[in-house]
Amino acid sequence: MKKTIESIDVKNKKVLLRVDFNVPIENGNIVDDTRIVRELPTIKYLLSKGAKLIICSHLGRPKGKVVESMSLMPVAKKLVDYLPLTRIKFASDCIGKEAKKLSEELKPGEILLLENLRFNSGEEINDPFFAKELASLAEIYVNDAFGTAHRNHASVCAVAKLLPNAVGFLMGQEVNTILGVLDNPERPFVAILGGSKVSDKIYVIMNLINKVNAVMIGGGMAYTFLKAKGINVGKSLVDDSKVELAKNILDEADKRGVNVFLPIDHLCADALTPNAKAYKIRSAEIPDNLMALDIGPRTTKLFLKVLRKCKTVIWNGPMGVFEFKKFAKGTEKIAKGVAKVQGKTIVGGGDSIAAIRDLKLQDKIYHISTGGGASLKLLEGEILPGIEVIEDVK
Ligand code: AMP
């Protein structure tokens, strides 16, 4: 068990809180502030206990350079909206003289937000000197950035080793919910996986076949599995380097009595474009000149039938190229099906979450994960470095 913020005394202490404020920003405006809203309980708790709060986060991939469009300034403004009674200051560099001075001037109940950690090249290489600078601002370190807990970065790993530490509420909630479901699921327990990156998710399937009753695979990754079964997939997306592994996984699932459901029909096109003509292909086999861009209606019906009996569901990844309206139906129907499940449902990954949100189904989902990559690593059975480094409760 890792130390949590409830087990440490933060009164009058400078607390460095690592959060995941990697929010989408367009023209200086935050388009989705979910990650900020989900962080508020930890922030409010620490402030109420008299902490001097120094908040740090990354945003985007500026690769060690200052990129104005990736500044955390819009986040500072958003925090003012949510915490109108709290004094919030902003440091234009996450380390250095200004950050040091502002952190020393902080009073209990005040916030200092540091500029984007990734403007400094030390962050992503877990640089001990950068970590030391960052740690010198505070007396306690709290990690609540579940979205980056799988990254070996300075503000996640090296800093934690330099200060007394604990995890925040969001980190605790994410990890306990996901691991709780994996350890003790109400059955039937099913995983639905989709999206295009087979290499990201194939190890998740490998681990999950030890735990679930069935796996449903849709989206671009399904065609690597169909090819492994000797089915013609035409021009569909295939990761040839993973076909053999997919074959082994299917054999292993078979031995364990785990059903792997793959598309039995498809919505195809001859090109990956939004206005491409859609062809309904009523069999699993796909003609040579076409590529599957969505699961077909029979597959959707099959997946929904399985879902209706489930008590626990994990869903990550769209069932098709849902950014194109014509090929979004499969994903939308699965989103609605997941929302109807009477049991615990966990949804991760930007695209699946976007589908749930577009359909305004957030309230019908048991847990929406704030960390796509981190949640996949947990589902793979990995220990996340950002959590491992936190002190255990004695
Ligand atoms: P991922 O990042 O692995 O979750 O993949 C998400 C992406 O997969 C989305 O941008 C989808 O457009 C894409 N995708 C889903 N289904 C297909 C498909 N059948 N063919 C190509 N790309 C797909």
Side-chain angles (χ1 to χ4, degrees), residues 4 153 340:
T4 67
H153 291 175
K340 274 195 196 139

Side-chain angles (χ1 to χ4, degrees), residues 194-197 201 219-220 223 237 292-293 317-323 351:
S196 59
K197 287 184 225 100
K201 288 170 199 159
Y223 308 99
L237 190 74
L293 297 186
M319 297 291 101
V321 182
F322 86 115
E323 300 93 325
D351 296 320

